[in-house]
Amino acid sequence: MKFKAVVSDHDYPDLEIEKSVLESIGAEVVAANCQSGGKALLKYVRDADAILQQYAHIGKEVIDELEQCKVISRYGTGVDILDVEECHRKGIVVTNVPYYCVDEVADHALTLALTLVRRIPTYVDSVRQGKWHWANSGIPIHRFSSMTFGVAGFGKIGRNLLKKAGAFKFKNIAYDPYVDSFFMEEEGVTKASFNELIKNSDILCLQVPLNDRTRHMIGEKELRDMKSSSVLINTSRGPLVDNNALAKALREGWIASAGLDDIEDEPAKKEKWEYEKNELLKLENCLITPHAAYYSEESIEEARRTAAEEAAAVLQGEDPRHIV
């Protein structure tokens, strides 16, 4: 084999897709399965020509020790678990997969929102207890056309989500300091400041990347400023929301409910998850899914094949499609 391509970690049943792409150019595909990342990963990747990264953190302490790595290819969109600047300094190309789950995440966010706004879990629990009446724990419910659907982040997924929400006749607003109001208005969306988004949204969905500016963008102050009937949806990264503040808000009724596809613990990045310590898991008005919003059979195959193809392109001296 001419190249060594290491998969830092993965939760896929096999690596047949990656092998079908990379072995065809003479690359050996090695599974490290080092979910924790860091220096523990070095024994696998020190002499790698390419690294395919899912959850394992790869920071400066690892990158500095790489002897011949030409490319680090992310399976997903975000790169907060990778020191991109250090890669650039060392001449390592970084790629990602920016389009693979645009529909899936938008669909998941909308599903969580509609489920909570229509109080489906409450009604189901009520019926299981032998209570058969629309007013049993289900009120109040309002018509979608009287409600405001707010999204933080007007990127690919945020735009897709609001387009779908528009079909249900919600009033759509969005906060994104990098997008002009004219562009939003062309898509039937009203541009809002962050404070306006917080105070006016009946449904508030977070669809932004995790970085130093967005970490805990929803904390105690923001939760207190939201409507008591509001629903919070987070289909991005868990640390966008202060989970302790959210648990308090849900217990004390500052907001009505929350639907989360990830939590601040970020269990997928831990060797052992102490789930019993998370207060959100004990609350009936909080629905949590296991960072599954991006999943469909089609999206997973696209992410894996694209990541492998990007690595293969760089190893062959070609330009990849999605350089970070």
Side-chain angles (χ1 to χ4, degrees), residues 48 52-53 61 68 73 82 102 125 134 202 213 247 270 306-307:
L52 277 68
Q53 177 197 28
E61 75 281 4
Q68 58 195 40
S73 183
L82 175 63
V102 173
D125 288 343
W134 58 268
D202 295 291
R213 297 185 301 278
K270 294 181 180 293
T306 301

Side-chain angles (χ1 to χ4, degrees), residues 5 15 25 43 50 81 92 105 108 140 142 153 168 172 185 196 252 277 287-288 303 315:
L15 292 176
I25 66 161
K43 65 179 179 180
I81 58 172
I92 298 172
V105 176
H108 199 90
H142 295 285
F168 290 89
N172 288 340
E185 288 166 4
E196 290 170 339
E252 298 183 7
K277 294 183 179 180
L287 299 184
I288 300 174
L315 292 179

Side-chain angles (χ1 to χ4, degrees), residues 140-183:
I141 291 176
H142 295 285
R143 188 173 292 170
F144 294 162
S145 60
S146 71
M147 302 176 72
T148 297
F149 200 118
V151 173
F154 201 65
K156 297 180 292 295
I157 295 172
R159 295 198 304 274
N160 189 314
L161 171 57
L162 286 173
K163 184 177 294 184
K164 291 172 177 177
F168 290 89
K169 300 184 179 180
F170 288 105
K171 175 187 176 184
N172 288 340
I173 65 173
Y175 162 74
D176 194 319
Y178 305 104
V179 178
D180 189 83
S181 59
F182 177 79
F183 182 66

